Amino acid sequence: MDVNDACPGGFVSEMYGVRSSHGVDSEVGRLRAVVVHRPGAELRRVTPRHRSGMLFAGLPWAERAQAEHDSFAGVLRAHGVEVLYLTELLQDALEYASARRQAIESAISDPRLGEELRGLLRSYLEELRPEELGQVLILGLARDEFRGGRGAVFGLLGAWDYVIDPLPNLVFARDTCVWIGDRVAVTSPSGRRPEAELAAIVFGFHPMFAGTKRLYEPDCELLAGGDVLLLAPGVVAIGIGSQTSPAGMERLARRVFDAGLAHTVLAVLTDPGAPDCLDTLCTLVGPDIVMMRPALAYSLVARTITPRAGGLRLSYPQPFLEAAAQAMGLERLRVIETGGSAWPGAGNLWDDAGNLLALDPGRVVSYERNVVTNARLEAAGIEVIPVPGGELAGSRGGPRAICCPIGREPSAMPDRGAYEGDHAA
């Protein structure tokens, strides 16, 4: 039996705001709980031949990445945040037969396997204990590790070709799952279906999340979690570019409207030729304060989407900051500009880092190497908690990218004059 049938949920939500143990209505409400993946041996199992699609700039140093992640998790705990590990949640969920079936079907769906190898792999995975199955799904299974393999497809694999690929990008937890209100969107980022399937198993079968409804599924249109920003209760911004399609944006918009979780969605038009998600271009550090790259702060364009009978109403293009402030009920948003250059390849990319994680309004976690950016935040009255991130930064990511908040206190609108030294937009 599906655990959602066995254990009906008890979440309570309000329109736009959240009153439950699991729920998120903004990027800046006091952080209470997150799901993370501590990087492990999967980072050591990636060879230069299998680097395609990795979000790390180079082959990562696994031990250093683990130490950095432990430091990050320690900061969260020190500030009262419950840190839940995806691996442990997955192993718990795989105790349920229905979760095991879904996990195995997902693992053997790779069209590269062929009929004979697929059948052998199914039999092998069905014999594994939950802990072993969880490990294989994350670490992968190399040809020479699969003792029962045979057949034409198997025989044509190299010794360190993978029957099941390792998941080195799993540490970037925000890409595959986003909570909006008391519901979760398990997203569909390009080339990362296996990671999204693991998130779907955790949120679908673990008793902790029993009864949680889903807004999105891994087999839907292209949508990256990093393109979804909760600007304020009832206001969701979704970036449209290389990582999220217009169809993915439309589906999520319809579902948050239908669920009563938003009154406005902003479709933010990002550069389709760049790999960046919206959260690397814009980060909320307070209820009315955003951090943005200088060249983009006043050039990003958005279209406001609101529900109407039988469909969606789409506005004319507007400057993003103007459209966002209007939707949030503010006169203006205050902007803190990132340091460094505004485009890849010129200057110090560390100082051009956004993607910060807000612990509460006016307090953020940032990588310590973001020297200029951190100084600008502090000058604007924002408390910065630096953590090491040399191996975790990946493709212009930040602390926000490596965790999925599942619980924040309801957000409040800003106290005008709470911060000084910022720039009005």
Side-chain angles (χ1 to χ4, degrees), residues 187-219:
T187 59
S188 54
S190 178
R192 298 174 64 186
R193 176 71 177 269
E195 297 170 53
E197 292 287 356
L198 296 188
I201 290 166
V202 166
F203 293 123
F205 296 97
H206 196 287
M208 181 180 296
F209 305 106
T212 300
K213 295 182 179 180
R214 295 234 280 269
L215 293 166
Y216 213 83
E217 302 293 340
D219 60 354

Side-chain angles (χ1 to χ4, degrees), residues 56 89 107 113 119 151 198 245 254 279 288 303 320 370-371 374 376-377 386 388 413:
F56 294 93
L89 296 173
L113 293 175
L198 296 188
S245 68
R254 286 181 180 274
D279 63 358
D288 65 343
R303 301 188 70 172
F320 165 68
N370 300 338
V371 178
N374 292 345
R376 290 182 176 181
L377 286 164
M413 293 313 291

Side-chain angles (χ1 to χ4, degrees), residues 324-336:
Q326 182 178 358
M328 296 164 72
L330 302 172
E331 293 183 9
R332 62 181 60 84
L333 280 167
R334 295 182 278 182
V335 179
I336 302 171

Side-chain angles (χ1 to χ4, degrees), residues 237-311:
I238 305 174
I240 298 176
S242 63
Q243 306 299 311
T244 295
S245 68
M249 178 282 302
E250 181 189 52
R251 183 182 294 272
L252 183 59
R254 286 181 180 274
R255 291 188 174 179
V256 297
F257 288 145
D258 290 346
L261 296 171
H263 57 75
T264 304
V265 169
L266 298 181
V268 186
L269 307 179
T270 64
D271 183 355
D276 301 324
C277 286
L278 180 60
D279 63 358
T280 65
L281 311 179
C282 175
T283 304
L284 271 79
V285 297
D288 65 343
I289 307 174
V290 293
M291 164 152 278
M292 299 185 70
R293 298 182 197 166
L296 292 172
Y298 308 102
S299 62
L300 268 185
V301 172
R303 301 188 70 172
T304 300
I305 298 174
T306 51
R308 66 178 179 184

